[in-house]
Amino acid sequence: MRFSWGAVYALFYLYRCAFSVLDQVVFLRLTSVPDTTGYQASNFGQFSQFRILLEGIETGLLMERNASLLTKIFASSLSAVTGGNAILINIGFQTVAFVGLLAFLKGLDTKTRIFVLLLVMTPSFSIWSSMASKEAIVVGLVGVFARYIVDIYNNRDSKKIYHLIILGMLFMYKPQFFPAIIFVAATSNLARYFREAATIAVLAASASLVVLYFFRELLDRFSRQIVSGILNEPGRSQRVLSFSDQYDIFFQAPGGMIRAFLGPTVSEAAGNILQMITLVESFLILGALTGFVIIRLPRIPAYSAVIALFTVFWTMFANYPVGLANPGTAIRYRTDYMLLIILAVAVLTSRNMYIDWRRNLLKNKSNKRFSWGPPPSRLGLNEKVSDGKSTK
């Protein structure tokens, strides 16, 4: 039988559809997910009066109600088409996530694609992104954005109207993603115009830390509000957590980012089989990502190391407070930002991709890039990375 990526993608879609079924017949019976059941019950009758629709619209920096309203409208559309069948509604949501995942996967080289595919097939990621949920939509949106970043490094990117729509929707759903999104997108675009890409990455990283310092008071208040809100939500796994002291968002960040990524602690998992499975899975994912970096570490270009490190930092720093109050919430929210972590670790650290990117930019004589910096011979762009031999 001849190998075909098209067949792999089809099986991947069916795999995710199977999780849409399992979510409904197994997972939702083991735990309560009010958001999902609420979306499944949505119908256009709820918006029969235009006044009700307008009352749901929110203005300002945080637009969570807008995201919820948009999700309900999408769920209502699926309900109308499927006759309100919960499983089919789940499949509709997971299809949105699948489109983003497919876009991302198709932009990668074969080895990286296999690694990423295995990561996005993990149970927790598949469970939360295959049901009627905001997570499914966010995964789809982040997948399209991640493909845009990949295309930059393959010199085939082009800004489209739908990219702006994607970013606008992402801002409604996850404004806390934008420190990482702005950093990786701005740095990747700016570095194309300079020979010293590593210098640009370091300057961008330094500038982002300066911005963090100037907004420390706002971030401190905002983080405490978020944690307080989550602690007030119902849940069987709520933790006793103090996040009331000034600048706790900075002091608790090192350990907090790891805890938010892993979800349950060892003591929590010891008394709960589901949390034990989740913790084992989290360690496997973290181990796979760490091992991937260690293998590449001796040959990662300085530029790639800086942009990958700070993309991970901004992703985790902006998201970790929501994962501290509840281990289940931590895993659910990890589904939202998982693709950003994968983009940084599995894609941006690629030496081959970096050298091909820089070489192709040098070959492009139709633009005025590389205004400053040393000649190409000092950038290591004349080496052939596939076999380690230099090209004359």
Side-chain angles (χ1 to χ4, degrees):
M1 180 182 295
R2 187 175 181 179
F3 175 83
S4 168
W5 273 108
V8 172
Y9 297 142
L11 291 174
F12 180 44
Y13 180 77
L14 294 177
Y15 172 82
R16 290 181 53 79
C17 286
F19 270 94
S20 295
V21 177
L22 290 173
D23 282 340
Q24 195 62 38
V25 301
V26 178
F27 185 71
L28 291 178
R29 294 183 180 181
L30 295 175
T31 186
S32 174
V33 187
D35 288 353
T36 293
T37 53
Y39 294 140
Q40 291 172 344
S42 297
N43 60 78
F44 284 117
Q46 298 172 334
F47 313 111
S48 58
Q49 298 181 27
F50 189 66
R51 175 182 58 81
I52 298 177
L53 183 63
L54 288 178
E55 287 176 351
I57 297 177
E58 186 175 30
T59 59
L61 181 61
L62 298 179
M63 296 181 285
E64 185 176 353
R65 282 192 300 175
N66 294 357
S68 297
L69 180 61
L70 187 62
T71 308
K72 288 179 181 178
I73 292 174
F74 178 63
S76 299
S77 302
L78 291 175
S79 180
V81 172
T82 64
N85 185 284
I87 291 177
L88 293 180
I89 292 174
N90 286 347
I91 291 175
F93 271 85
Q94 89 80 11
T95 300
V96 173
F98 174 78
V99 170
L101 291 170
L102 181 62
F104 183 35
L105 288 168
K106 292 180 71 174
L108 306 176
D109 63 84
T110 301
K111 290 183 178 179
T112 306
R113 186 182 304 170
I114 293 172
F115 179 71
V116 173
L117 181 61
L118 292 174
L119 288 178
V120 297
M121 289 179 68
T122 49
S124 64
F125 183 89
S126 300
I127 286 173
W128 286 111
S129 64
S130 297
M131 65 172 70
S133 63
K134 290 180 183 177
E135 280 69 33
I137 294 178
V138 171
V139 167
L141 297 174
V142 176
V144 175
F145 170 76
R147 172 59 183 271
Y148 168 71
I149 298 299
V150 171
D151 285 347
I152 289 177
Y153 291 98
N154 287 305
N155 295 289
R156 58 177 182 235
D157 66 297
S158 59
K159 298 175 180 63
K160 305 291 185 181
I161 294 297
Y162 71 82
H163 287 134
L164 295 178
I165 297 174
I166 292 294
L167 288 176
M169 293 178 65
L170 260 177
F171 188 79
M172 279 196 298
Y173 280 91
K174 297 293 175 181
Q176 65 268 34
F177 284 14
F178 271 72
I181 286 175
I182 292 173
F183 175 78
V184 68
T187 306
S188 299
N189 277 289
L190 185 61
R192 295 190 293 186
Y193 296 91
F194 297 86
R195 285 196 180 116
E196 288 287 3
T199 301
I200 299 303
V202 171
L203 289 175
S206 302
S208 70
L209 293 178
V210 172
V211 172
L212 176 64
Y213 174 79
F214 280 110
F215 284 91
R216 64 190 184 280
E217 300 287 348
L218 177 62
L219 289 171
D220 177 59
R221 291 194 301 270
F222 182 63
S223 63
R224 280 184 278 163
Q225 290 175 0
I226 288 178
V227 172
S228 177
I230 294 177
L231 287 174
N232 290 329
E233 293 179 357
R236 291 180 296 179
S237 302
Q238 292 290 66
R239 292 165 172 159
V240 177
L241 181 68
S242 174
F243 216 75
S244 57
D245 294 336
Q246 189 177 30
Y247 302 137
D248 267 350
I249 187 175
F250 303 104
F251 296 140
Q252 296 192 29
M257 288 189 282
I258 296 175
R259 288 180 63 189
F261 187 87
L262 292 176
T265 62
V266 174
S267 59
E268 290 169 339
N272 187 308
I273 185 63
L274 289 179
Q275 291 193 9
M276 177 60 74
I277 294 173
T278 300
L279 181 61
V280 171
E281 180 200 53
S282 296
F283 274 121
L284 290 175
I285 293 172
L286 184 62
L289 291 171
T290 303
F292 199 81
V293 171
I294 290 174
I295 293 173
R296 285 182 168 181
L297 189 59
R299 292 176 57 80
I300 296 178
Y303 167 85
S304 303
V306 173
I307 195 171
L309 176 63
F310 273 80
T311 299
V312 171
F313 168 75
W314 280 114
T315 299
M316 293 305 306
F317 181 78
N319 287 278
Y320 91 86
V322 300
L324 291 183
N326 187 303
T329 301
I331 298 301
R332 180 173 183 174
Y333 277 63
R334 187 180 72 189
T335 302
D336 291 325
Y337 62 75
M338 186 69 176
L339 288 186
L340 290 175
I341 300 295
I342 293 174
L343 171 68
V345 173
V347 180
L348 297 181
T349 59
S350 171
R351 179 178 177 82
N352 287 26
M353 185 185 72
Y354 171 80
I355 291 183
D356 287 343
W357 172 52
R358 305 303 286 180
R359 181 185 293 121
N360 289 332
L361 286 176
L362 285 171
K363 289 180 180 178
N364 188 348
K365 305 297 184 180
S366 63
N367 56 50
K368 296 181 180 180
R369 292 172 177 163
F370 298 99
S371 302
W372 296 286
S377 59
R378 287 179 56 192
L379 297 175
L381 300 182
N382 290 332
E383 66 174 302
K384 186 176 180 181
V385 298
S386 59
D387 58 8
K389 299 178 181 178
S390 61
T391 57
K392 301 294 184 180

